[in-house]
mmCIF file of all heavy atoms in Angstrom:
data_model
loop_
_atom_site.group_PDB
_atom_site.id
_atom_site.type_symbol
_atom_site.label_atom_id
_atom_site.label_comp_id
_atom_site.label_asym_id
_atom_site.label_seq_id
_atom_site.Cartn_x
_atom_site.Cartn_y
_atom_site.Cartn_z
ATOM 1 N N MET A 26 39.482 164.466 -9.059
ATOM 2 C CA MET A 26 38.105 164.900 -9.175
ATOM 3 C C MET A 26 37.353 163.884 -10.039
ATOM 4 O O MET A 26 37.830 163.485 -11.091
ATOM 5 C CB MET A 26 38.038 166.302 -9.803
ATOM 6 C CG MET A 26 36.646 166.726 -10.123
ATOM 7 S SD MET A 26 36.350 168.449 -10.636
ATOM 8 C CE MET A 26 37.639 168.853 -11.737
ATOM 9 N N THR A 28 34.049 163.296 -12.309
ATOM 10 C CA THR A 28 33.008 164.068 -12.991
ATOM 11 C C THR A 28 32.130 163.157 -13.835
ATOM 12 O O THR A 28 32.546 162.084 -14.259
ATOM 13 C CB THR A 28 33.602 165.154 -13.911
ATOM 14 O OG1 THR A 28 34.386 164.525 -14.921
ATOM 15 C CG2 THR A 28 34.438 166.150 -13.146
ATOM 16 N N ASP A 37 11.524 174.496 -27.287
ATOM 17 C CA ASP A 37 10.455 175.396 -26.879
ATOM 18 C C ASP A 37 9.223 175.192 -27.752
ATOM 19 O O ASP A 37 8.541 176.142 -28.100
ATOM 20 C CB ASP A 37 10.938 176.845 -26.945
ATOM 21 C CG ASP A 37 9.908 177.801 -26.350
ATOM 22 O OD1 ASP A 37 9.244 177.412 -25.381
ATOM 23 O OD2 ASP A 37 9.765 178.914 -26.875
ATOM 24 N N SER A 38 8.933 173.957 -28.111
ATOM 25 C CA SER A 38 7.791 173.695 -28.981
ATOM 26 C C SER A 38 6.453 173.928 -28.285
ATOM 27 O O SER A 38 5.447 174.149 -28.946
ATOM 28 C CB SER A 38 7.857 172.271 -29.525
ATOM 29 O OG SER A 38 7.829 171.350 -28.460
ATOM 30 N N GLY A 41 5.541 178.233 -28.324
ATOM 31 C CA GLY A 41 5.617 179.087 -29.500
ATOM 32 C C GLY A 41 6.904 179.045 -30.269
ATOM 33 O O GLY A 41 7.065 179.801 -31.226
ATOM 34 N N ASP A 44 13.502 181.151 -29.254
ATOM 35 C CA ASP A 44 14.865 180.672 -29.042
ATOM 36 C C ASP A 44 15.091 180.375 -27.561
ATOM 37 O O ASP A 44 14.632 181.114 -26.690
ATOM 38 C CB ASP A 44 15.892 181.712 -29.494
ATOM 39 C CG ASP A 44 15.992 181.822 -31.003
ATOM 40 O OD1 ASP A 44 15.358 181.018 -31.708
ATOM 41 O OD2 ASP A 44 16.722 182.717 -31.469
ATOM 42 N N ILE A 45 15.810 179.286 -27.290
ATOM 43 C CA ILE A 45 16.199 178.950 -25.925
ATOM 44 C C ILE A 45 17.209 179.992 -25.473
ATOM 45 O O ILE A 45 18.157 180.309 -26.189
ATOM 46 C CB ILE A 45 16.828 177.540 -25.872
ATOM 47 C CG1 ILE A 45 15.869 176.470 -26.407
ATOM 48 C CG2 ILE A 45 17.332 177.213 -24.471
ATOM 49 C CD1 ILE A 45 14.624 176.271 -25.601
ATOM 50 N N TYR A 50 20.384 172.757 -14.661
ATOM 51 C CA TYR A 50 20.048 171.439 -14.136
ATOM 52 C C TYR A 50 19.853 171.517 -12.629
ATOM 53 O O TYR A 50 20.357 172.418 -11.959
ATOM 54 C CB TYR A 50 21.082 170.373 -14.509
ATOM 55 C CG TYR A 50 22.356 170.404 -13.696
ATOM 56 C CD1 TYR A 50 22.474 169.651 -12.527
ATOM 57 C CD2 TYR A 50 23.441 171.176 -14.092
ATOM 58 C CE1 TYR A 50 23.639 169.678 -11.785
ATOM 59 C CE2 TYR A 50 24.603 171.204 -13.349
ATOM 60 C CZ TYR A 50 24.692 170.452 -12.198
ATOM 61 O OH TYR A 50 25.845 170.484 -11.456
ATOM 62 N N VAL A 52 19.405 168.796 -9.034
ATOM 63 C CA VAL A 52 19.631 167.451 -8.508
ATOM 64 C C VAL A 52 18.482 167.102 -7.555
ATOM 65 O O VAL A 52 18.223 167.834 -6.603
ATOM 66 C CB VAL A 52 20.973 167.363 -7.756
ATOM 67 C CG1 VAL A 52 21.194 165.973 -7.189
ATOM 68 C CG2 VAL A 52 22.125 167.760 -8.688
ATOM 69 N N ASP A 53 17.801 166.016 -7.832
ATOM 70 C CA ASP A 53 16.721 165.428 -7.030
ATOM 71 C C ASP A 53 15.412 166.209 -6.996
ATOM 72 O O ASP A 53 14.365 165.613 -6.842
ATOM 73 C CB ASP A 53 17.169 165.110 -5.609
ATOM 74 C CG ASP A 53 18.082 163.897 -5.562
ATOM 75 O OD1 ASP A 53 17.976 163.035 -6.458
ATOM 76 O OD2 ASP A 53 18.891 163.799 -4.630
ATOM 77 N N GLY A 56 14.490 173.431 -7.716
ATOM 78 C CA GLY A 56 14.532 174.387 -6.619
ATOM 79 C C GLY A 56 13.288 175.247 -6.550
ATOM 80 O O GLY A 56 12.692 175.587 -7.563
ATOM 81 N N GLY A 59 13.455 178.178 -8.565
ATOM 82 C CA GLY A 59 13.640 177.926 -9.988
ATOM 83 C C GLY A 59 15.050 178.171 -10.485
ATOM 84 O O GLY A 59 15.289 178.198 -11.673
ATOM 85 N N THR A 60 16.007 178.355 -9.577
ATOM 86 C CA THR A 60 17.377 178.614 -9.984
ATOM 87 C C THR A 60 18.218 177.360 -9.815
ATOM 88 O O THR A 60 18.338 176.836 -8.711
ATOM 89 C CB THR A 60 17.988 179.761 -9.151
ATOM 90 O OG1 THR A 60 17.181 180.915 -9.315
ATOM 91 C CG2 THR A 60 19.394 180.065 -9.592
ATOM 92 N N GLY A 61 18.768 176.882 -10.926
ATOM 93 C CA GLY A 61 19.624 175.704 -10.890
ATOM 94 C C GLY A 61 21.048 176.068 -11.247
ATOM 95 O O GLY A 61 21.457 177.220 -11.135
ATOM 96 N N ALA A 63 23.906 176.359 -14.157
ATOM 97 C CA ALA A 63 23.921 176.650 -15.589
ATOM 98 C C ALA A 63 24.518 175.512 -16.411
ATOM 99 O O ALA A 63 25.445 174.835 -15.974
ATOM 100 C CB ALA A 63 24.699 177.935 -15.854
ATOM 101 N N MET A 64 23.964 175.344 -17.604
ATOM 102 C CA MET A 64 24.474 174.408 -18.600
ATOM 103 C C MET A 64 24.868 175.207 -19.831
ATOM 104 O O MET A 64 24.369 176.320 -20.039
ATOM 105 C CB MET A 64 23.404 173.383 -18.968
ATOM 106 C CG MET A 64 22.949 172.532 -17.803
ATOM 107 S SD MET A 64 21.698 171.314 -18.267
ATOM 108 C CE MET A 64 22.714 170.130 -19.174
ATOM 109 N N ALA A 66 25.305 175.567 -24.101
ATOM 110 C CA ALA A 66 24.797 175.082 -25.381
ATOM 111 C C ALA A 66 25.890 174.248 -26.035
ATOM 112 O O ALA A 66 27.051 174.667 -26.073
ATOM 113 C CB ALA A 66 24.391 176.242 -26.277
ATOM 114 N N SER A 67 25.548 173.080 -26.544
ATOM 115 C CA SER A 67 26.538 172.187 -27.150
ATOM 116 C C SER A 67 27.242 172.811 -28.343
ATOM 117 O O SER A 67 28.406 172.532 -28.602
ATOM 118 C CB SER A 67 25.881 170.878 -27.577
ATOM 119 O OG SER A 67 25.375 170.196 -26.457
ATOM 120 N N ASP A 68 26.539 173.689 -29.073
ATOM 121 C CA ASP A 68 27.132 174.335 -30.248
ATOM 122 C C ASP A 68 27.772 175.681 -29.919
ATOM 123 O O ASP A 68 28.191 176.411 -30.798
ATOM 124 C CB ASP A 68 26.103 174.488 -31.365
ATOM 125 C CG ASP A 68 24.981 175.451 -31.020
ATOM 126 O OD1 ASP A 68 24.956 176.007 -29.897
ATOM 127 O OD2 ASP A 68 24.101 175.652 -31.874
ATOM 128 N N SER A 70 26.351 178.449 -28.466
ATOM 129 C CA SER A 70 25.463 179.595 -28.207
ATOM 130 C C SER A 70 24.005 179.166 -28.217
ATOM 131 O O SER A 70 23.615 178.245 -28.924
ATOM 132 C CB SER A 70 25.707 180.707 -29.223
ATOM 133 O OG SER A 70 25.356 180.269 -30.519
ATOM 134 N N PRO A 74 15.237 177.461 -31.271
ATOM 135 C CA PRO A 74 14.189 176.879 -30.418
ATOM 136 C C PRO A 74 14.512 175.465 -29.926
ATOM 137 O O PRO A 74 13.876 174.974 -29.016
ATOM 138 C CB PRO A 74 12.963 176.850 -31.322
ATOM 139 C CG PRO A 74 13.257 177.741 -32.460
ATOM 140 C CD PRO A 74 14.735 177.766 -32.611
ATOM 141 N N THR A 75 15.498 174.808 -30.519
ATOM 142 C CA THR A 75 15.936 173.488 -30.086
ATOM 143 C C THR A 75 17.442 173.539 -29.854
ATOM 144 O O THR A 75 18.184 173.976 -30.726
ATOM 145 C CB THR A 75 15.613 172.425 -31.156
ATOM 146 O OG1 THR A 75 14.210 172.436 -31.403
ATOM 147 C CG2 THR A 75 16.035 171.046 -30.700
ATOM 148 N N ASP A 81 29.624 169.393 -17.303
ATOM 149 C CA ASP A 81 30.402 168.427 -16.544
ATOM 150 C C ASP A 81 30.146 168.700 -15.067
ATOM 151 O O ASP A 81 30.304 169.838 -14.607
ATOM 152 C CB ASP A 81 31.892 168.548 -16.847
ATOM 153 C CG ASP A 81 32.228 168.103 -18.256
ATOM 154 O OD1 ASP A 81 31.588 167.145 -18.739
ATOM 155 O OD2 ASP A 81 33.119 168.712 -18.882
ATOM 156 N N ASP A 83 30.976 167.854 -11.088
ATOM 157 C CA ASP A 83 31.914 167.270 -10.138
ATOM 158 C C ASP A 83 31.103 166.510 -9.088
ATOM 159 O O ASP A 83 30.374 167.109 -8.305
ATOM 160 C CB ASP A 83 32.738 168.373 -9.480
ATOM 161 C CG ASP A 83 33.706 167.864 -8.426
ATOM 162 O OD1 ASP A 83 33.808 166.632 -8.226
ATOM 163 O OD2 ASP A 83 34.366 168.705 -7.786
ATOM 164 N N SER A 85 32.586 164.241 -6.963
ATOM 165 C CA SER A 85 33.543 163.636 -6.032
ATOM 166 C C SER A 85 33.083 163.724 -4.577
ATOM 167 O O SER A 85 33.446 162.878 -3.774
ATOM 168 C CB SER A 85 34.927 164.250 -6.203
ATOM 169 O OG SER A 85 34.888 165.653 -6.039
ATOM 170 N N THR A 88 27.561 161.434 -1.948
ATOM 171 C CA THR A 88 27.398 160.149 -1.294
ATOM 172 C C THR A 88 26.969 159.119 -2.327
ATOM 173 O O THR A 88 26.185 159.427 -3.229
ATOM 174 C CB THR A 88 26.317 160.254 -0.197
ATOM 175 O OG1 THR A 88 26.679 161.282 0.710
ATOM 176 C CG2 THR A 88 26.153 158.947 0.550
ATOM 177 N N THR A 91 21.554 156.908 -5.560
ATOM 178 C CA THR A 91 20.841 157.197 -6.791
ATOM 179 C C THR A 91 20.361 158.638 -6.753
ATOM 180 O O THR A 91 19.806 159.085 -5.746
ATOM 181 C CB THR A 91 19.629 156.243 -6.936
ATOM 182 O OG1 THR A 91 20.100 154.909 -6.922
ATOM 183 C CG2 THR A 91 18.880 156.515 -8.229
ATOM 184 N N TYR A 95 17.352 166.908 -13.230
ATOM 185 C CA TYR A 95 16.330 167.576 -14.037
ATOM 186 C C TYR A 95 16.977 168.699 -14.840
ATOM 187 O O TYR A 95 17.806 169.433 -14.310
ATOM 188 C CB TYR A 95 15.239 168.186 -13.147
ATOM 189 C CG TYR A 95 14.480 167.172 -12.330
ATOM 190 C CD1 TYR A 95 14.903 166.817 -11.053
ATOM 191 C CD2 TYR A 95 13.348 166.573 -12.855
ATOM 192 C CE1 TYR A 95 14.207 165.883 -10.311
ATOM 193 C CE2 TYR A 95 12.637 165.636 -12.109
ATOM 194 C CZ TYR A 95 13.074 165.298 -10.835
ATOM 195 O OH TYR A 95 12.377 164.360 -10.103
#
Side-chain angles (χ1 to χ4, degrees):
M26 172 171 42
T28 62
D37 188 35
S38 60
D44 287 354
I45 302 295
Y50 77 91
V52 179
D53 287 333
T60 302
M64 299 181 73
S67 297
D68 66 359
S70 65
T75 302
D81 291 324
D83 177 4
S85 56
T88 304
T91 302
Y95 298 90

